[in-house]
Amino acid sequence: MTDGGKPDNPSRKRRRKRHKPQSRSESANSPPPQLPLPHPKRRKIEGPSTSKNQLGFLQKMRMRLSGGHFRMLNEKLYTCSGSEAFNLFKNEPELFDVYHAGYQEQMVHWPEQPVNAIAKWLRNQSSLKVADFGCGNATLAKSVKNKVFSIDLVSNDPSVIACDMAHTPLDSSSVDVAVFCLSLMGTNYSNYLQEAKRVLKPSGWLLIAEVRSRFDPNTGGADPEKFFEAVSQLGFSLVSKDFSNKMFVLLYFKKAKKDSQVESIKWPELKPCIYKRR
């Protein structure tokens, strides 16, 4: 018993003592509890690496989609007529940018660019006027001092003439050189060459750079001799041919001084340059 007459309860006292709260002064002076922090090195490594993986995946997906669009357009251009290709890009001009982005991606893997070989030839003859059929981004015009009429299906530059290459606005006998740099792509490619003949002056030059496999009969390409014969019947003579590059061939023709008319020319089919789906 205590002095107040109430029974002593030691367990109650122990509980009060055990759970006795701190005074305000004690809690204010006590340091806050320390919580474990994540390891700084682990956080630094895991966060950015995950982000890089995600960005890498998205970039690969974009490249696949872009590459798929390029292959589709590339196949279309090789298997349709020039007028069909012109109407396609006229209705959807943004496809032209998709195609040329894929084209540039393919070209970076070539050890030598055919447009550079043609530009080198023109630099020694800067007084000649040039018609660049299928100019793309007008790279040739930007590389030489010659007067160059850049022609393609779409014009993203004021200097580029947008038209079907079989029907250009150039005057007859108005240029000294007609260039086809990887641009004999339509099923009616012979019409492009006939247009080149029309705009060329007598004794004018016809320069053709094409993918080598298109002139390899062993892999389904055209017989180059049959192609030379057809161009000859159109009114040109073969001056030089260069098959030394493993990626492309360079052909130099010269227009006859007097115009010749041939009723029917048997043009060989040029193998479409179609990229395999990955």
Side-chain angles (χ1 to χ4, degrees):
M1 299 289 290
T2 63
D3 294 340
K6 293 182 180 180
D8 189 7
N9 190 342
S11 63
R12 186 177 179 183
K13 288 182 178 179
R14 284 196 298 271
R15 284 199 299 272
R16 282 200 301 269
K17 186 175 182 181
R18 184 181 299 168
H19 298 287
K20 183 180 179 181
Q22 290 181 326
S23 66
R24 290 185 179 180
S25 60
E26 290 175 336
S27 61
N29 296 327
S30 299
Q34 297 295 320
L35 298 177
L37 296 175
H39 197 287
K41 291 186 177 179
R42 177 179 298 176
R43 182 173 57 187
K44 187 175 182 180
I45 293 174
E46 289 182 355
S49 66
T50 303
S51 178
K52 285 181 180 178
N53 289 338
Q54 290 174 346
L55 290 174
F57 173 77
L58 291 174
Q59 187 176 12
K60 286 180 181 178
M61 290 302 296
R62 291 191 190 100
M63 289 177 66
R64 281 188 178 182
L65 290 172
S66 178
H69 288 160
F70 165 71
R71 288 190 295 273
M72 177 192 71
L73 290 169
N74 185 70
E75 183 172 346
K76 178 68 174 177
L77 292 175
Y78 274 107
T79 56
C80 74
S81 67
S83 59
E84 289 174 320
F86 177 68
N87 290 328
L88 171 66
F89 287 126
K90 183 178 180 180
N91 295 329
E92 299 182 74
E94 67 276 6
L95 294 180
F96 189 78
D97 295 329
V98 174
Y99 172 76
H100 275 283
Y103 173 83
Q104 293 298 331
E105 174 63 25
Q106 296 295 327
M107 286 294 100
V108 297
H109 302 293
W110 285 33
E112 183 182 359
Q113 304 292 321
V115 67
N116 293 337
I118 294 173
K120 183 179 179 180
W121 185 86
L122 284 173
R123 287 189 190 106
N124 295 323
Q125 305 178 73
S126 59
S127 62
L128 301 182
K129 290 184 180 180
V130 182
D132 185 9
F133 288 78
C135 66
N137 295 324
T139 302
L140 184 62
K142 298 171 185 176
S143 304
V144 297
K145 294 181 180 180
N146 304 68
K147 171 62 178 178
V148 179
F149 298 98
S150 300
I151 303 166
D152 215 320
L153 298 169
V154 174
S155 174
N156 288 335
D157 187 295
S159 65
V160 177
I161 302 169
C163 64
D164 176 0
M165 293 194 301
H167 306 284
T168 72
L170 301 182
D171 293 333
S172 298
S173 302
S174 60
V175 299
D176 303 289
V177 184
V179 173
F180 290 88
C181 186
L182 308 182
S183 56
L184 292 179
M185 299 180 70
T187 54
N188 63 323
Y189 76 88
S190 63
N191 296 137
Y192 309 156
L193 296 176
Q194 290 169 352
E195 178 67 358
K197 177 188 176 183
R198 181 187 72 81
V199 303
L200 275 171
K201 298 176 181 178
S203 301
W205 289 90
L206 171 64
L207 273 56
I208 298 175
E210 263 304 336
V211 180
R212 188 185 179 96
S213 62
R214 304 190 76 192
F215 291 99
D216 186 354
N218 297 322
T219 59
D223 184 340
E225 295 299 328
K226 292 182 178 179
F227 180 77
F228 301 157
E229 176 61 25
V231 178
S232 176
Q233 291 178 9
L234 183 61
F236 292 87
S237 58
L238 179 63
V239 177
S240 175
K241 53 184 178 180
D242 185 355
F243 281 74
S244 62
N245 194 286
K246 66 178 183 179
M247 303 301 291
F248 62 89
V249 299
L250 269 173
L251 307 173
Y252 299 82
F253 296 90
K254 204 163 189 180
K255 182 180 175 181
K257 292 181 179 181
K258 292 184 179 181
D259 197 5
S260 60
Q261 297 292 335
V262 178
E263 294 182 0
S264 178
I265 301 175
K266 189 175 181 180
W267 291 93
E269 180 180 353
L270 295 182
K271 176 185 177 182
C273 186
I274 298 175
Y275 297 94
K276 295 181 180 179
R277 290 175 173 82
R278 297 176 181 176

